[in-house]
Amino acid sequence: MSIQTVGVIGAGQMGNGIAHVLAVAGYDVLMTDISQDALDASQKIIAANLGRQASRGKISDEDMHSALGRITTTLKLPDLGNSDLVIEAATEREPIKQAIFDELQPHLAPHTILTSNTSSISITRLASRTDRPERFMGFHFMNPVPVMQLVELIRGIATDEPTYAACKDVVDKLGKTAASAEDFPAFIVNRILMPMINEAVYTLYEGVGNVQSIDQSMKLGANHPMGPLELADFIGLDTCLAIMNVLHEGLADTKYRPCPLLTKYVEAGWLGRKTNRGFYDYRGDAPVPTR
């Protein structure tokens, strides 16, 4: 099928980035959230990011205005029912995602493809609660969406080939690269990335190095653009912990046990950049390590 209209569920960092790149690629986007403030904020962020791209010559002013005109918002989840493709980008908690699909399902057009931007949750399990498991798959963008070139496409056990082909075509039209992943905990990127971050937290927890020395070691010694603790703050420590729990529970291997220090930071509400404190304190002019 040819996809023309896309519904995006969630107006947070991932949702507004997904809406941004879809609109630039020519898709009509309807974005929803439970908060009007979130929808208003997302439109301002998208406009600012598009303006930044235009100022750098990556898109024309005409493309910028056209893209903004393709994005509309609604507080009513059922309004997305007639979309050709729905991309859920809500909080990384399975009960929330299940509730969203349960509410949306009675309003879906027969041809609508459902996808989730989940970074770790079972696609097969999410799909099994819907009336269209064959037209359900994982559509995992990387953060920040307008910058990162990879999209993981994850087939559930029931996902059919036309659904995969339609989603692959969308990725191609976005100018991004699709990596096909099987439906196992955390897929490819986070299956590799999160244990590395978790091991960095263990290295801090055990006193092998402090925050600064750990991040410098990986940036200068392994040529990583960001240190693992800096990256964890960027992703969100609650998200890192949630993915590690999915890996630990789903694979039953002690090597995926979340570090107690990561759990403690999340319990403290120190979730990284989004709360201004994590492994670094962001409340001043420059980030300061908290350990």
Side-chain angles (χ1 to χ4, degrees), residues 3-6 22-29 70 169-170 173-174:
I3 291 172
Q4 303 294 328
T5 59
V6 184
L22 288 166
V24 170
Y27 293 100
D28 292 322
V29 180
R70 294 188 192 102
D169 184 59
V170 172
K173 288 180 179 176
L174 295 178

Side-chain angles (χ1 to χ4, degrees), residues 28-258:
D28 292 322
V29 180
L30 179 59
M31 182 165 53
T32 188
D33 199 281
I34 58 173
S35 163
Q36 185 62 52
D37 288 344
L39 289 172
D40 293 342
S42 72
Q43 288 188 304
K44 291 178 182 177
I45 291 168
I46 292 169
N49 288 339
L50 285 168
R52 191 174 298 111
Q53 286 183 316
S55 69
R56 294 173 180 172
K58 294 185 177 181
I59 60 173
S60 67
D61 288 343
E62 183 180 353
D63 289 340
M64 176 185 69
H65 292 300
S66 296
L68 284 170
R70 294 188 192 102
I71 300 172
T72 54
T73 64
T74 180
L75 287 170
K76 299 176 182 177
L77 181 61
D79 289 350
L80 274 62
N82 286 322
S83 303
D84 298 326
L85 169 68
V86 172
I87 302 175
E88 172 272 314
T91 302
E92 188 69 357
R93 290 179 57 198
E94 189 167 348
I96 291 176
K97 295 179 186 295
Q98 289 174 341
I100 287 169
F101 290 124
D102 288 348
E103 181 181 348
L104 182 60
Q105 182 172 294
H107 308 281
L108 292 172
H111 71 280
T112 301
I113 291 173
L114 289 178
T115 67
S116 176
N117 183 59
T118 178
S119 54
S120 62
I121 297 168
S122 169
I123 298 302
T124 299
R125 195 164 60 239
L126 288 173
S128 70
R129 292 174 59 97
T130 74
D131 65 349
R132 60 196 66 208
E134 71 284 353
R135 290 194 299 282
F136 192 113
M137 68 180 301
F139 208 131
H140 180 214
F141 288 84
M142 305 296 122
N143 184 32
V145 179
V147 175
M148 302 297 281
Q149 291 302 302
L150 186 75
V151 179
E152 282 183 313
L153 292 180
I154 306 102
R155 291 181 176 93
I157 198 169
T159 306
D160 63 24
E161 188 57 34
T163 296
Y164 175 83
C167 291
K168 172 67 163 56
D169 184 59
V170 172
V171 176
D172 292 342
K173 288 180 179 176
L174 295 178
K176 296 186 182 294
T177 298
S180 297
E182 295 302 316
D183 185 25
F184 291 99
F187 320 131
I188 295 172
V189 172
N190 284 317
R191 171 74 176 264
I192 297 168
L193 175 64
M194 286 302 160
M196 184 197 76
I197 287 175
N198 194 52
E199 193 62 28
V201 183
Y202 266 114
T203 305
L204 178 65
Y205 176 62
E206 294 170 3
V208 180
N210 60 28
V211 169
Q212 186 174 29
S213 63
I214 291 167
D215 278 351
Q216 280 185 339
S217 294
M218 294 308 293
K219 285 192 284 188
L220 302 180
N223 204 28
H224 289 192
M226 296 174 71
L229 301 176
E230 180 185 8
L231 180 57
D233 276 358
F234 179 75
I235 294 168
L237 304 192
D238 53 338
T239 300
C240 294
L241 179 59
I243 296 170
M244 286 307 303
N245 281 325
V246 167
L247 280 166
H248 191 221
E249 293 163 11
L251 298 172
D253 192 323
T254 55
K255 73 179 181 179
Y256 299 115
R257 183 172 65 96

